[in-house]
Amino acid sequence: MKTPTVDFARVEDRHRAIHDRLRNWSRWVVVHPHAGVHPMFKNYRSHAWQWHTPEHRETCDTLDAQWLERLVAKLPSRHRDAVRWAYVYRYTPAIACRELGLSYDGLFKHLRDGRQMLMVMVD
């Protein structure tokens, strides 16, 4: 028997505004794993950038992102972790479900409820 899949990219219409703000927040909260560069090459700078066309990225409203980070930190722990998983970490849902002790439906519910809580906190 095939289990129904959950579309974690689905955003309800009433959550569009907070979703856009959370996407801005996720551009501000950048998580880089430790690269482990050898000390000899720590200060090395490649000049390969001059041969590539520049990337144009969306701008980030840093003040709004910092304010939203404070609000996300005030969420209950599972809701906070679900929101951070969806917007910042973006690893597979199976790992997030295992870490939070939730099913796929439970993870989606916590994500949706976290967005709703943030909407209430913003207003």
Side-chain angles (χ1 to χ4, degrees):
M1 185 169 128
K2 192 172 187 178
T3 58
T5 57
V6 179
D7 183 12
F8 291 103
R10 182 170 51 99
V11 178
E12 297 176 8
D13 290 336
R14 62 185 175 160
H15 292 160
R16 288 284 174 201
I18 197 69
H19 174 68
D20 292 338
R21 292 180 75 182
L22 284 167
R23 286 181 52 219
N24 177 59
W25 167 72
S26 71
R27 284 190 296 273
W28 179 74
V29 179
V30 179
V31 178
H32 293 291
H34 179 64
V37 178
H38 189 277
M40 184 170 119
F41 299 107
K42 188 169 91 174
N43 295 324
Y44 173 74
R45 294 200 47 160
S46 171
H47 294 288
W49 57 268
Q50 63 189 345
W51 307 112
H52 298 287
T53 58
E55 289 183 28
H56 298 288
R57 298 183 182 185
E58 295 181 45
T59 59
C60 178
D61 183 2
T62 57
L63 292 177
D64 183 57
Q66 290 173 9
W67 186 65
L68 204 58
E69 170 64 26
R70 284 190 219 136
L71 295 180
V72 169
K74 292 178 185 177
L75 289 175
S77 63
R78 284 190 172 179
H79 295 88
R80 178 183 60 233
D81 293 342
V83 168
R84 286 194 172 143
W85 164 76
Y87 290 97
V88 178
Y89 299 119
R90 297 184 191 112
Y91 47 83
T92 61
I95 296 172
C97 290
R98 187 176 47 218
E99 286 181 357
L100 296 175
L102 299 169
S103 64
Y104 286 121
D105 292 328
L107 180 62
F108 182 74
K109 182 180 178 299
H110 277 76
L111 175 60
R112 186 188 64 219
D113 292 347
R115 285 186 194 127
Q116 185 64 37
M117 288 180 203
L118 286 171
M119 280 180 51
V120 171
M121 294 166 84
V122 166
D123 292 338

